[in-house]
Amino acid sequence: MASIIESAWTYLITNFSDFQLTCLGGFVLHESVFFLSGLPFILFERAGWFGKYKIQKKNNSPEAQEKCITRLLMYHLCVNLPILLGSYPVFKFMGTRSSLPLPSWKVISTQIIFYFILEDFVFYWGHRILHTKWLYKHVHSVHHEYATPFGLTSEYAHPAEILFLGFATIIGPAITGPHLITLYLWVSLRVLETVEAHSGYHFPWSPSNFLPLYGGADFHDYHHRLLYTKSGNYSSTFVYMDWIFGTDKGYRKLKSLKENERFEAEGKEM
């Protein structure tokens, strides 16, 4: 497996420049992972599939879904892509490299775990700031246009928010100066995580059922359902920041009430 990956990477660095791999390659990778993982949730809503796993009973209209896709394409092509193309000197200053040898899986996994922890910490505080009155009204309210989120709404946001919270994603790599393949993997995992968190579905195989402290769709869906002053659940990936600072009390209370109702219903059936 390692030799196959190394051979594929050798082909890439032989046929494409460092700039192409970092900026254009990064953009293509992001768009591919984002839309391929996010579009199925639109299909699930329209077809009514997996209805018993849907967190909210309400569905988005086809017009609302199409609006989201149109805006996303505009933002990605007119905001994300130019910023990425202009950021090449920043990536080089960070120490990002594409040359062989490839880093070991131990190095890659350690760096990515560090990125997730740091990103979650920075995102939590940035997200709380975006829920202050002025910033919510003028910036963050765009993201909250969808009270019933679906996968692609994870990146539906004001351009200023994209830049503001994008800092949380890049700060970890900026500190460690990773190999480009590590950066590719980090971006892919981060996209998959945020798409899942906005999916609107809580499946038996959802990561939050298996990974301790992982928030997931049920945790973040609560955040979208409530008014900005009462929402809580500000973290991106984990739950401990909200637990430490008490911004998940409403969510925990609701979960407790649902558990009690479930136990009562099971007791009546017996």
Side-chain angles (χ1 to χ4, degrees):
M1 182 66 177
S3 61
I4 295 174
I5 295 173
E6 188 168 310
S7 297
W9 193 260
T10 300
Y11 174 83
L12 289 176
I13 62 177
T14 302
N15 291 277
F16 298 95
S17 69
D18 201 50
F19 171 79
Q20 289 173 323
L21 289 173
T22 303
C23 299
L24 295 177
F27 181 75
V28 170
L29 176 73
H30 171 273
E31 297 302 291
S32 301
V33 175
F34 177 69
F35 282 104
L36 287 175
S37 63
L39 283 171
F41 294 105
I42 287 181
L43 177 62
F44 296 165
E45 269 202 3
R46 292 192 179 188
W49 297 344
F50 303 111
K52 66 179 180 177
Y53 300 123
K54 199 170 187 304
I55 298 168
Q56 297 187 47
K57 299 304 179 185
K58 178 184 174 183
N59 287 331
N60 291 281
S61 67
E63 292 76 20
Q65 293 172 337
E66 289 161 11
K67 173 190 172 185
C68 177
I69 295 172
T70 302
R71 291 276 184 91
L72 282 170
L73 290 172
M74 181 180 69
Y75 289 156
H76 286 188
L77 291 172
C78 299
V79 180
N80 294 18
L81 181 57
I83 290 173
L84 191 56
L85 293 175
S87 298
Y88 181 67
V90 177
F91 285 108
K92 301 310 293 181
F93 179 77
M94 285 163 44
T96 304
R97 65 178 182 87
S98 59
S99 58
L100 294 172
L102 297 177
S104 67
W105 283 109
K106 183 178 180 180
V107 170
I108 292 174
S109 58
T110 301
Q111 288 184 335
I112 287 179
I113 290 170
F114 171 67
Y115 298 163
F116 266 114
I117 294 171
L118 183 60
E119 189 278 340
D120 191 68
F121 177 83
V122 175
F123 185 98
Y124 174 85
W125 292 110
H127 196 184
R128 282 193 70 171
I129 290 170
L130 284 171
H131 274 266
T132 55
K133 189 173 182 179
W134 190 91
L135 281 173
Y136 183 88
K137 179 180 179 181
H138 296 283
V139 178
H140 194 49
S141 59
V142 174
H143 181 64
H144 278 269
E145 285 178 19
Y146 291 89
T148 306
F150 52 94
L152 294 182
T153 60
S154 57
E155 294 193 7
Y156 182 89
H158 191 285
E161 179 175 345
I162 295 170
L163 294 174
F164 186 54
L165 293 181
F167 173 75
T169 301
I170 204 66
I171 187 172
I175 292 172
T176 64
H179 192 280
L180 188 56
I181 200 168
T182 306
L183 197 59
Y184 278 1
L185 185 57
W186 160 237
V187 169
S188 299
L189 291 174
R190 177 70 181 99
V191 168
L192 290 172
E193 179 275 320
T194 192
V195 167
E196 192 274 331
H198 288 81
S199 68
Y201 290 83
H202 184 74
F203 299 109
W205 55 86
S206 293
S208 57
N209 293 329
F210 308 100
L211 300 177
L213 302 179
Y214 185 90
D218 187 64
F219 186 78
H220 193 70
D221 197 277
Y222 175 85
H223 175 82
H224 274 264
R225 295 200 302 270
L226 302 185
L227 295 173
Y228 80 95
T229 53
K230 301 177 181 179
S231 55
N233 291 19
Y234 298 114
S235 297
S236 60
T237 305
F238 306 112
V239 300
Y240 64 87
M241 288 291 291
D242 283 284
W243 179 77
I244 290 172
F245 294 100
T247 46
D248 65 346
K249 289 181 179 178
Y251 171 73
R252 290 186 179 277
K253 183 177 181 180
L254 180 63
K255 290 278 286 185
S256 178
L257 288 172
K258 286 185 175 180
E259 283 293 312
N260 290 336
E261 289 175 359
R262 184 172 66 84
F263 287 140
E264 288 177 4
E266 289 176 354
K268 288 179 181 179
E269 289 178 1
M270 293 175 65

